């Protein structure tokens, strides 16, 4: 992980190569690994902050963040992925991404629909469960929120 670089960019700041690598990583995890049959390119990317780690030119971890509604003080994160599991990359992605969201997208809370098996992971960052279980694309999810105090996040796992 020593040669990895973190990047947080709005859609119009992404290079064609970065966008291609992001879409390739999302397809690898959600379509191939998790076998989710869905329309990944849903136009939300246009209004998102794209947070990712790259090793050489390959995107190895990624998430996107966007305001839940126009004029909202709530940022939604999603499409969270790491290509390597169990090596600390997910933790680094969340720490850096939460900081980037706070710097670039002022908000009172960050929310997400977490896959049930990952709830404990997100709780380490201060996310709290705010819903019962529900199905999304055939996978059990739970809505979670992170209250952002005074517009800052200094958490670390």
């Amino acid at each position: 992980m020593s040669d990895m670089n973190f990047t947080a960019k709005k859609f119009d700041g992404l290079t064609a190569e970065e966008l291609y690598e992001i879409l390739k990583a999302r397809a690898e995890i959600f379509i191939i690994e998790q076998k989710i049959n869905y329309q990944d390119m849903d136009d939300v990317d246009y209004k998102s902050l794209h947070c990712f780690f790259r090793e050489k030119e390959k995107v190895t971890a990624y998430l996107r963040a966007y305001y839940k509604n126009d004029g909202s003080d709530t940022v939604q994160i999603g499409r969270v992925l790491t290509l390597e599991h169990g090596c600390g990359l997910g933790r680094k992605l969340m720490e850096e991404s939460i900081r980037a969201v706070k710097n670039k997208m002022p908000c009172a809370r960050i929310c997400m629909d977490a896959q049930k098996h990952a709830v404990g992971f997100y709780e380490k960052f201060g996310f709290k469960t705010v819903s019962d279980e529900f199905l999304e694309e055939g996978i059990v999810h739970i809505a979670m929120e992170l209250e952002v105090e005074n517009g800052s996040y200094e958490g670390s796992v």
Side-chain angles (χ1 to χ4, degrees):
M1 278 196 316
S2 60
D3 292 342
M4 290 200 202
N5 296 312
F6 179 77
T7 302
K9 292 182 177 179
K10 293 286 192 175
F11 184 84
D12 60 2
L14 294 171
T15 67
E17 182 180 288
E18 287 169 334
L19 179 59
Y20 182 84
E21 291 298 321
I22 287 167
L23 295 174
K24 192 164 74 171
R26 287 178 7 186
E28 183 174 333
I29 294 299
F30 300 118
I31 296 171
I32 296 169
E33 182 179 302
Q34 296 184 0
K35 300 183 182 355
I36 301 171
N37 185 12
Y38 74 118
Q39 175 59 38
D40 180 35
M41 288 155 279
D42 58 4
D43 294 333
V44 174
D45 289 321
Y46 291 120
K47 65 179 186 175
S48 295
L49 178 68
H50 300 270
C51 300
F52 55 98
F53 275 101
R54 286 173 42 162
E55 186 170 13
K56 296 186 173 48
E57 300 307 316
K58 183 177 183 175
V59 169
T60 56
Y62 170 84
L63 66 75
R64 69 180 183 184
Y66 55 94
Y67 286 105
K68 196 166 183 173
N69 300 303
D70 289 337
S72 172
D73 66 352
T74 301
V75 170
Q76 176 87 23
I77 63 173
R79 301 290 200 269
V80 182
L81 68 88
T82 59
L83 296 183
E84 298 176 35
H85 308 298
C87 65
L89 186 54
R91 176 186 53 79
K92 288 181 64 131
L93 174 69
M94 290 303 298
E95 288 174 349
E96 294 294 333
S97 296
I98 290 170
R99 282 190 192 94
V101 166
K102 290 311 310 146
N103 288 333
K104 297 174 184 272
M105 303 176 75
C107 61
R109 75 193 52 78
I110 300 170
C111 64
M112 67 181 335
D113 294 339
Q115 292 184 6
K116 183 179 177 180
H117 70 85
V119 166
F121 171 75
Y122 295 118
E123 287 174 339
K124 294 176 184 177
F125 300 94
F127 282 89
K128 306 269 189 253
T129 298
V130 295
S131 78
D132 291 329
E133 296 176 3
F134 59 93
L135 283 179
E136 187 173 305
E137 302 296 342
I139 297 173
V140 178
H141 283 72
I142 297 173
M144 301 187 81
E145 284 187 359
L146 172 66
E147 294 296 325
V148 181
E149 296 181 27
N150 300 325
S152 66
Y153 170 76
E154 296 301 327
S156 181
V157 175

